[in-house]
Amino acid sequence: MSAKPKRRMALTTFVIPAGHHKDSWRREGSRIEEVPGLEYVVELAQMAEDAKIDAVFFGDIANANPTLRGDIKTNGYFEPISTLSAIAARTKSIGLIGTVSTSFENPYSVARQIAGIDHMSGGRAGWNLVTSFDGFQNYGFDEAPSPEARYRRATEFAQVVKALWDSWQDDAVIADRGSGSFIDPEKVHRINHVGEHFKVEGPLPGPRSPQGHPVIVQAGSSGPGLDLGSSVADAIYTAQPVKERSVEFYSKFKKMLVEKGRNPEHTKVLPGILPIIGSTLKEAQELADELGSLVNLEYGRAQVSAGLAGVDLSSLDYDDRIPAEWLSEDPALGSRYHVFRSKVVDQEMTLRDLIIDMARSAGHQWIIGTPQTIADSMVDWFESGACDGFNLNSPYNPGGMKQMCELLVPELQNRGYARTEYEGSTLREHLGLPRPAV
């Protein structure tokens, strides 16, 4: 009998109702006609809650550009604040993480909205803090600011949000019926922030949220992204398709936390993984082949071009390799660009290979196998110091979510790597994170 593991994986799931594998919505039974709509997305969240997963995660793209390129996977059909607010009323325990960009919004509104979800859900809210590189023309900009400018704004944005979350002390509400005083005004504070991008007086209009600070997730793996994440994040979403590189990333990031005086156990590193599951390896491979056959190759060509910073691929046949000299080594192009560049340069993928790989992974690890073999790989990564858990990406929906929740997660539960019941009521408790004091 194997020994019980010393710690448990953190597990969240990226809810994409159209399926994380591009064009999987074409598969019969996809329920694509219900996108966007409440009942379908609630059912997916309830599947994850029944499996005792830590949180559902909703990404966001605040423009229609991916859809116009034929990519309906990466979309803004489910606006996170309204979606998570609705799901909060239809779930009891699972965490609720949503993306809001620091590039377009203002920190006062975001602090209030995320705290509002935290109140309405009893302490289950999380904010995925991102910068944006597209869609600026919808918000009054002529072009996207430089990455450095976007991250300066994001850093100040996060500072303001956290200060606003702390603008009410935990015991500020006294509700004294005798005196008629609802609050102790000495325990509600203006923040009076004046910075490069924002001038915010504060405080928030309502009490501190149940978690004190809703959980902050950050999804940048570039240099500026790592600096921001190691400063403010409680969890990091990262694209790491190779275990050895993930081990290096994990070690580097945890050292950055220590250097900033933060407890490295209190920020979880969660690479994405797309499991294609079958009861046998043959069945899983057949499913992978079917999903691959659904990919629109011409749309895929445009999507690969976009992922490679706009390189012109129109002259290539699908079975041609992309010449390495067409691709830049500039680190400013971002970590995701260099994941795809390495597939061209190091793995010698053809254009067709890269289209299918990008359709499956978006830069993340994808794996074909049985629940047992996929769990073997996940445990190996976890025990090798490559991660603190995973963000599970369902390849197709609703069937893929059902497979993850009813086959893969129970396998991890049987091995002691995933919970069988929620022990706490807040997302911080699910992830083993302390509640910040004011």
Side-chain angles (χ1 to χ4, degrees), residues 127-392:
W127 170 35
N128 181 41
L129 183 168
V130 301
T131 64
S132 299
F133 62 87
D134 198 7
F136 283 83
Q137 292 78 5
N138 294 327
Y139 292 86
F141 297 87
D142 292 328
E143 59 184 8
S146 69
E148 294 78 14
R150 297 200 301 268
Y151 272 104
R152 284 200 313 273
R153 177 184 169 97
T155 299
E156 185 182 347
F157 196 114
Q159 292 169 349
V160 174
V161 167
K162 294 178 74 173
L164 288 166
W165 284 341
D166 286 341
S167 62
W168 288 57
Q169 294 178 218
D170 286 323
D171 56 353
V173 176
I174 57 175
D176 187 334
R177 287 179 171 82
S179 69
S181 297
F182 179 66
I183 65 165
D184 178 348
E186 297 298 317
K187 296 181 178 181
V188 180
H189 313 287
R190 301 194 189 280
I191 69 169
N192 293 318
H193 174 89
V194 179
E196 178 185 358
H197 300 93
F198 306 108
K199 183 177 182 180
V200 183
E201 182 181 66
L204 285 181
R208 200 166 192 241
S209 72
Q211 294 186 103
H213 294 178
V215 169
I216 296 178
V217 181
Q218 198 269 338
S221 297
S222 64
L226 285 173
D227 184 57
L228 175 59
S230 60
S231 298
V232 303
D234 302 299
I236 298 293
Y237 284 150
T238 178
Q240 300 293 336
V242 179
K243 186 181 83 170
E244 291 73 19
R245 291 180 183 172
S246 193
V247 170
E248 294 173 5
F249 174 87
Y250 184 90
S251 176
K252 175 183 177 181
F253 183 76
K254 295 289 183 171
K255 287 178 181 176
M256 291 179 72
L257 292 169
V258 172
E259 289 167 358
K260 294 186 177 184
R262 303 186 65 202
N263 187 330
E265 297 299 317
H266 293 165
T267 300
K268 308 299 181 181
V269 175
L270 306 177
I273 181 172
L274 182 138
I276 301 178
I277 304 169
S279 59
T280 64
L281 181 58
K282 180 175 182 292
E283 183 181 295
Q285 186 61 60
E286 288 171 350
L287 174 58
D289 292 343
E290 179 191 354
L291 292 170
S293 73
L294 298 173
V295 174
N296 182 306
L297 294 178
E298 272 309 298
Y299 282 149
R301 185 195 298 269
Q303 291 153 16
V304 169
S305 174
L308 291 174
V311 63
D312 183 1
L313 304 175
S314 60
S315 65
L316 297 181
D317 292 331
Y318 293 122
D319 294 316
D320 290 341
R321 286 187 53 207
I322 301 170
E325 58 270 22
W326 288 12
L327 305 179
S328 171
E329 298 182 27
D330 183 358
L333 290 170
S335 59
R336 196 67 62 96
Y337 170 90
H338 287 285
V339 166
F340 294 125
R341 180 182 178 278
S342 73
K343 293 176 184 292
V344 173
V345 176
D346 301 333
Q347 300 180 37
E348 300 184 350
M349 284 189 175
T350 65
L351 176 57
R352 185 191 306 273
D353 293 336
L354 195 57
I355 289 170
I356 300 300
D357 181 271
M358 190 178 287
R360 286 181 178 153
S361 69
H364 296 288
Q365 175 191 184
W366 55 268
I367 185 167
I368 300 168
T370 65
Q372 295 76 24
T373 60
I374 294 172
D376 287 344
S377 177
M378 293 172 70
V379 168
D380 178 44
W381 277 52
F382 184 69
E383 295 292 0
S384 298
C387 62
D388 294 306
F390 295 89
N391 189 33
L392 300 166

